[in-house]
Amino acid sequence: MKESTEQDYRTRLLRVLVHIQTHLDEAIELDQLAAIANFSPYHFHRIFRGMTGESVMDHVRRLRLERAAVMLKLEQDSVTQIAFQAGYETLDAFSRSFGAMFGHPPSEYRKQKSPPAVTRNRIPFSVRGQVELDRLPQGESEMDVAIKTIEPITVIFVRASGPYGCPAIGAAWQTLFQWAFPRGLVHGVPKMLGICHDDPEVTPPEKIRYDACLVVDREVTAAGVVGVQTVGGGEFAVAVHKGSYNKLGETYTELCGRWIPNSNYRLRSSAGLEFYLNNPQSTNEDELLTEVCMPVERDGALSISGANSVV
């Protein structure tokens, strides 16, 4: 495949991957995905498998089951409710699929992985690192947290696959800026943010997704590995992390495991955002500042969805 053709295919496939992850609770139709990518429906599934290593059905099922695993660990919903949210019409079908993927039936997995009930809260499918709630001290958090409304933001991004902190993330940022500079998209102090989509205790290391994002103030057309998406929208619990990016997990743990359970808020099932407030290339590691933003809404506002269709 010629390089220009391959880049075009990657651009179109990235649109599909973003659509799937933001519509995971909806029925996923192959014809719709093919139209989003502007591929022939007849050939779309072959292209998708060839470029991702998974069929569309396997990809959607894996994301839903991984989200179900996070819910089993950190939520109080029944296994049946979680099965419905994962798109299964019967508990038996869910249990078989879950057991095949994680090696244990859902109820046993929950017993092994769940923290004490007092610290459980609805955790979204996007938490950086493992939230080790069972190791937290009891009582209210003294963390300084603000509730802010973040309007939808248009970003260009490059996706990295691999464990958080791996070289692929640095390479993604380098690729993003090399693409953005000559197009005049970097001026003044660029607004950079990251999106950590997966729980590394649930998702295989090679499939963990991280988006290196740069906020843009004009319309941009995606090209090659550089995509365009809209992030944010709604209320977020915001805490500032000071220090190494390698220790961001501590701030997530404190925010999700202590502050949220003792607040009047609960987390929404959408991606958290990391806004990088200073330049890591010119700032000492212990002076780095990162705004950790977790999507929230008033406690009691969430409702249980019904059964979802599976591709």
Side-chain angles (χ1 to χ4, degrees):
M1 185 183 294
K2 292 181 179 179
E3 183 177 356
S4 59
T5 303
E6 182 180 8
Q7 293 297 309
D8 178 59
Y9 272 44
R10 289 186 180 279
T11 299
R12 292 150 71 180
L13 183 65
L14 194 57
R15 291 203 299 266
V16 171
L17 295 177
V18 170
H19 177 84
I20 290 173
Q21 73 189 33
T22 54
H23 295 80
L24 206 56
D25 286 330
E26 303 172 14
I28 306 293
E29 302 291 342
L30 283 174
D31 285 352
Q32 180 187 20
L33 297 180
I36 290 171
N38 197 25
F39 286 127
S40 163
Y42 182 79
H43 296 294
F44 173 70
H45 67 285
R46 296 184 178 91
I47 296 171
F48 188 97
R49 179 188 286 275
M51 296 188 72
T52 67
E54 299 176 295
S55 69
V56 176
M57 180 184 295
D58 288 343
H59 181 76
V60 173
R61 184 182 295 116
R62 176 174 64 80
L63 294 188
R64 287 176 174 169
L65 285 173
E66 288 175 355
R67 182 178 63 176
V70 174
M71 294 170 69
L72 285 166
K73 289 198 307 176
L74 300 171
E75 293 190 16
Q76 300 181 55
D77 292 344
S78 70
V79 174
T80 300
Q81 289 172 318
I82 292 173
F84 288 158
Q85 289 176 312
Y88 290 83
E89 296 182 357
T90 68
L91 181 58
D92 285 345
F94 172 68
S95 296
R96 286 195 300 271
S97 295
F98 190 92
M101 183 168 178
F102 293 102
H104 301 284
S107 296
E108 183 177 336
Y109 183 91
R110 165 170 272 173
K111 289 178 182 178
Q112 292 181 358
K113 303 293 185 179
S114 290
V118 69
T119 59
R120 285 190 198 164
N121 203 282
R122 180 176 293 267
I123 303 296
F125 185 43
S126 307
V127 176
R128 183 184 181 115
Q130 178 184 354
V131 182
E132 298 178 339
L133 299 181
D134 53 333
R135 299 184 183 180
L136 289 173
Q138 300 299 313
E140 295 186 7
S141 168
E142 296 182 359
M143 174 178 280
D144 186 12
V145 179
I147 300 297
K148 298 182 180 180
T149 298
I150 299 179
E151 299 297 332
I153 303 167
T154 300
V155 299
I156 56 174
F157 73 100
V158 172
R159 175 159 295 181
S161 297
Y164 296 130
C166 71
I169 292 178
W173 280 108
Q174 184 176 9
T175 298
L176 182 64
F177 275 96
Q178 287 177 342
W179 189 89
F181 263 114
R183 291 168 174 80
L185 297 174
V186 181
H187 43 80
V189 179
K191 195 167 188 177
M192 303 179 293
L193 62 123
I195 307 174
C196 304
H197 292 281
D198 300 306
D199 180 343
E201 191 180 70
V202 171
T203 303
E206 71 278 5
K207 295 187 181 297
I208 290 174
R209 300 163 296 164
Y210 172 90
D211 291 345
C213 306
L214 184 64
V215 177
V216 293
D217 56 6
R218 59 182 171 87
E219 186 174 344
V220 180
T221 301
V225 297
V226 179
V228 179
Q229 63 177 311
T230 300
V231 300
E235 288 189 315
F236 286 74
V238 180
V240 176
H241 170 88
K242 184 176 181 181
S244 171
Y245 297 146
N246 293 330
K247 294 184 177 181
L248 272 163
E250 298 175 6
T251 296
Y252 277 94
T253 297
E254 176 81 4
L255 179 59
C256 296
R258 293 190 66 196
W259 191 89
I260 291 291
N262 288 285
S263 73
N264 294 319
Y265 292 86
R266 63 191 307 178
L267 291 156
R268 292 183 281 121
S269 293
S270 59
L273 307 175
E274 296 176 358
F275 288 91
Y276 308 114
L277 304 183
N278 43 21
N279 187 342
Q281 294 183 336
S282 59
T283 306
N284 292 330
E285 188 175 57
D286 58 355
E287 295 296 323
L288 291 171
L289 297 175
T290 306
E291 258 189 354
V292 175
C293 308
M294 296 304 296
V296 295
E297 60 187 3
R298 286 282 180 179
D299 196 12
L302 289 175
S303 61
I304 301 300
S305 60
N308 301 307
S309 299
V310 178
V311 175

